[in-house]
Amino acid sequence: MDMDYIALLASARSKFALYVSIPTCFISIISEFLSLLIFLSLKTFRQNSCSFYLMFMALFNLIRMTCSTSFIAISMAFSTNFTSVLLLYCQIRAFLVATCNLSALICLCLSVIDQYFATCFRPTWQRFSNIRIAHRMMVIITLISSCHAILYLIYLNQLSPTNPSVCISSNSIFSQYHVYGFFITYGNLFPLIAVTFGLLAYRNARSLSTRANLLVRRELDKQLTTMVLVEICVYVCTYTPYSIVNTVSSLNTNRDPILLAKLSLANAITLTISFLSNGNSFYTYICVSKRFRRQAKYVLYDLYINKCRPNRIMPANIEHQADTR
C-alpha cells in the first residue's frame, strides 16, 4: 500500500508538472521577454532610473527562467535528470540561479527605493533618482551577486532526495547558510525593505498632483510607483510558499519515503507558483497601468507588427506621443 501511495504521489507530481509547471514556465518566459522588449524600445523607460532597474530585473528573470527554470519544469514532468547528461550542469545552473535571484531581488528593492527618492518632497533626495547612479549600481549588483554565487557553484554538488531536479549541498555549514541566510534572511529582508519604501513612495505619489512637476514626469512617477508596488505584492504572495516548503525540506532529517514523496509534490506545486514571482512583470504591468497598456500596444503593434506587414506605408510615429498619453 505504501508503495502504491508513493507511486500515486509521484504520478500526481509528474502530471502537475506536465500540465501546469511547463505552461506556467513558458508563459513566464514570454512575460519577461515582452517586458524587456518594451523597456528597451521606449526612450522614456531607458532614460528613467526606476524603469532601468525594472528592465534589468526582467533580464535577470529571463535568464533564470530560460537557462534553469525551464529545465527544472521539464525534469519534473518527464523524470529527466539533466545533471547526469552534463556533469557541470548542476553547478552552472546553481551559479546562474544564485546570481539572477539575488540580482533581480535587489533590482526590485532599488526600483522602489529609487521611486521613493523620485517622488520625495526634498530636492536633495530627488537627486538620488539618477540614471548615472543606476548604471553604477547595476555594475556593483552584478559583481556582488556573481561573487556570492561562486559559493553555490562550489558546494551545490548533489541532487535533492525530494526533487531530483534541484541541487543540494553536502556541506552542512553551507546548507545552513542557504536556508537561514538566503531563504529566511535575504528572502524576507529585501521584500520587507521593498514593501516599506513602496508604501512611502505610494504616499508621495498621491501628493504629486499638488506639486509643480511637469505633467509627463508626474504621470510617469505615478505609473512606475503603482507598477513596482504591485510587483512587490505579487512577489511576496508567490514566493513565500516556495520559501517555506524549501526551508522545511532542507531542514527535514526524516527519511520516510512517504514524507519525502509528499514534500516532493509540495515542492513541485510551490515551485510552480514561484515561477510567477520571477515571470509576472508584463502581465502585472498590463493589469495595473492603463498607460503601460497604451505603451505596450504602441511598441508591439505600431513598432513591430505593422513594420512586418508588406506593402503598407506607415505614417511616422513619434515615440514620446505614446509615452505622454
Side-chain angles (χ1 to χ4, degrees):
M1 290 296 294
D2 290 347
M3 296 302 297
D4 293 338
Y5 185 58
I6 293 174
L8 180 62
L9 292 175
S11 176
R13 177 179 179 271
S14 178
K15 291 181 179 179
F16 179 84
L18 178 62
Y19 296 111
V20 180
S21 300
I22 292 178
T24 302
C25 180
F26 180 72
I27 292 173
S28 299
I29 291 175
I30 294 176
S31 170
E32 298 310 299
F33 174 77
L34 292 178
S35 294
L36 188 61
L37 180 66
I38 293 172
F39 284 135
L40 289 173
S41 299
L42 294 178
K43 187 177 180 180
T44 301
F45 286 138
R46 294 196 304 268
Q47 294 182 342
N48 182 272
S49 52
C50 177
S51 58
F52 183 81
Y53 290 126
L54 294 179
M55 177 178 67
F56 268 87
M57 184 184 73
L59 176 62
F60 287 125
N61 287 335
L62 181 62
I63 294 174
R64 180 200 169 188
M65 297 293 294
T66 304
C67 299
S68 175
T69 307
S70 58
F71 290 98
I72 292 177
I74 294 173
S75 65
M76 289 192 302
F78 300 103
S79 299
T80 302
N81 182 6
F82 291 98
T83 310
S84 62
V85 179
L86 301 175
L87 294 177
L88 295 179
Y89 172 69
C90 180
Q91 287 82 1
I92 294 175
R93 187 183 69 191
F95 176 82
L96 288 175
V97 170
T99 302
C100 295
N101 261 350
L102 187 59
S103 298
L105 189 55
I106 295 177
C107 284
L108 181 60
C109 290
L110 289 178
S111 66
V112 69
I113 293 174
D114 180 271
Q115 203 53 32
Y116 166 73
F117 286 135
T119 57
C120 195
F121 289 90
R122 301 180 181 179
T124 304
W125 288 18
Q126 291 179 10
R127 294 171 186 165
F128 289 104
S129 176
N130 187 286
I131 190 63
R132 293 183 179 178
I133 295 178
H135 290 165
R136 296 168 185 170
M137 289 300 300
M138 284 312 309
V139 175
I140 296 174
I141 290 171
T142 305
L143 291 176
I144 293 177
S145 300
S146 299
C147 293
H148 169 263
I150 292 177
L151 297 175
Y152 289 82
L153 181 66
I154 298 173
Y155 290 109
L156 290 187
N157 50 15
Q158 293 182 359
L159 295 178
S160 171
T162 60
N163 186 1
S165 62
V166 176
C167 300
I168 61 174
S169 173
S170 58
N171 187 295
S172 59
I173 297 178
F174 179 79
S175 298
Q176 292 180 0
Y177 164 76
H178 177 65
V179 174
Y180 295 104
F182 187 83
F183 278 102
I184 296 180
T185 304
Y186 299 154
N188 293 283
L189 177 61
F190 286 116
L192 179 62
I193 294 174
V195 169
T196 302
F197 278 93
L199 294 175
L200 294 174
Y202 179 74
R203 184 194 64 179
N204 292 342
R206 294 184 62 182
S207 64
L208 284 176
S209 59
T210 62
R211 303 189 214 171
N213 292 36
L214 292 176
L215 177 61
V216 176
R217 176 67 185 185
R218 187 165 65 231
E219 292 301 318
L220 180 61
D221 285 336
K222 288 182 179 180
Q223 174 193 9
L224 292 175
T225 301
T226 303
M227 287 165 55
V228 295
L229 188 59
V230 177
E231 177 84 10
I232 293 167
C233 295
V234 174
Y235 178 88
V236 172
C237 293
T238 55
Y239 188 77
T240 301
Y242 173 69
S243 178
I244 295 174
V245 172
N246 194 281
T247 301
V248 172
S249 299
S250 301
L251 296 177
N252 175 54
T253 57
N254 190 344
R255 299 292 94 184
D256 179 46
I258 296 180
L259 177 60
L260 293 178
K262 291 180 179 179
L263 287 176
S264 180
L265 178 60
N267 184 277
I269 295 174
T270 55
L271 179 63
T272 302
I273 297 175
S274 74
F275 291 171
L276 300 177
S277 65
N278 301 109
N280 69 85
S281 59
F282 178 77
Y283 310 121
T284 299
Y285 303 154
I286 284 289
C287 291
V288 303
S289 175
K290 182 178 180 180
R291 192 167 185 259
F292 187 85
R293 288 194 291 271
R294 289 197 297 263
Q295 291 166 332
K297 177 181 177 296
Y298 170 75
V299 171
L300 300 178
Y301 184 79
D302 295 337
L303 290 185
Y304 293 103
I305 296 179
N306 278 346
K307 284 187 177 181
C308 295
R309 293 181 179 179
N311 301 325
R312 292 192 60 180
I313 301 177
M314 296 301 298
N317 288 307
I318 302 177
E319 187 178 83
H320 72 270
Q321 289 178 351
D323 301 332
T324 57
R325 291 177 185 174

